[in-house]
Amino acid sequence: MRAPWVVDRALRLWTEAEGRPRFLFVNLMEAHLPWIPEPEDLGRFGPPGLDVEREQLEVLGRYLNGGRPAFAETAMLRDRYDEVLTSLDRSLGRLLDGITQKGADTVVVVTSDHGESLGEHDRFGHRNSLDEEATRIPLIIRGPGLPAGARRDAPVQLIDVFGYLAQSAGVALEPGLVLLDQHQR
């Protein structure tokens, strides 16, 4: 399911539940293969290609069988990835605009499950790597008690996000549950 379709449905669910406590989890998959940008973004950073999905599968298939993409092929993969992230960014912006319009107290978390190697260290993908390209992921949180624009350099784990969300919703944590952030104080 493409991000514009997912965002349309998510915003509809969000609006239908207005006036009640809401929780919305949205998983946008455009950054996963195949990287197929929206038509207005295809060719934004490189030649549009004849068959976007086939060109990626051929190059990455060769890589998985021990081959190395040529410089131009690596550049093409990076262009497609940037194009699909441009499409994804537009959909994410529409989602964020829709859920934050009326509620200044809305907590928003944007993160990813992994990064992506695009030729760095002679790797592509994210499966067999603990390189920074695969492990350093975005985590953006907006909500009560968090100053706008603040940055934190210390590592954060998803359990910390859980603790913040539970606290923001007024949900008590189970006895004995220790969050990473509590150890750093």
Side-chain angles (χ1 to χ4, degrees):
M1 293 174 273
R2 308 282 299 161
W5 184 89
V6 172
V7 168
D8 286 343
R9 271 113 196 115
L11 289 174
R12 188 182 71 227
L13 289 169
W14 186 257
T15 303
E16 288 173 358
E18 196 167 333
R20 297 179 296 181
R22 299 178 274 188
F23 178 85
L24 182 64
F25 175 88
V26 179
N27 194 4
L28 303 175
M29 298 297 290
E30 267 68 4
H32 290 80
L33 285 168
W35 301 316
I36 302 175
E38 295 300 316
E40 62 266 35
D41 297 317
L42 182 59
R44 180 181 295 259
F45 298 111
L50 299 174
D51 184 336
V52 175
E53 188 170 356
R54 192 188 73 204
E55 70 186 8
Q56 294 170 44
L57 295 177
E58 284 179 10
V59 171
L60 293 174
R62 210 171 335 110
Y63 167 75
L64 291 173
N65 288 316
R68 280 194 131 138
F71 179 80
E73 291 173 323
T74 298
M76 176 273 300
L77 290 172
R78 288 180 178 170
D79 290 343
R80 290 295 170 263
Y81 192 71
D82 288 345
E83 290 166 358
V84 84
L85 291 183
T86 299
S87 298
L88 181 61
D89 186 59
R90 187 171 39 259
S91 289
L92 181 59
R94 195 165 59 87
L95 176 66
L96 294 174
D97 286 347
I99 65 173
T100 59
Q101 280 181 352
K102 296 181 183 177
D105 62 342
T106 301
V107 175
V108 176
V109 177
V110 177
T111 192
S112 178
D113 55 341
H114 55 77
E116 199 75 20
S117 294
L118 298 169
E120 301 87 0
H121 316 287
D122 286 328
R123 291 190 181 95
F124 288 87
H126 55 269
R127 291 186 178 181
N128 298 316
S129 169
L130 293 176
D131 294 326
E132 187 169 309
E133 292 79 14
T135 59
R136 187 177 178 97
I137 61 170
L139 175 60
I140 302 166
I141 304 175
R142 185 201 95 166
L146 298 175
R151 295 179 64 98
R152 180 176 173 172
D153 292 326
V156 177
Q157 296 183 27
L158 290 179
I159 190 72
D160 298 311
V161 176
F162 168 76
Y164 174 73
L165 292 174
Q167 178 185 10
S168 297
V171 175
L173 298 176
E174 290 185 29
L177 182 62
V178 178
L179 304 179
L180 177 67
D181 201 35
Q182 293 171 338
H183 290 292
Q184 296 175 347
R185 290 186 184 148

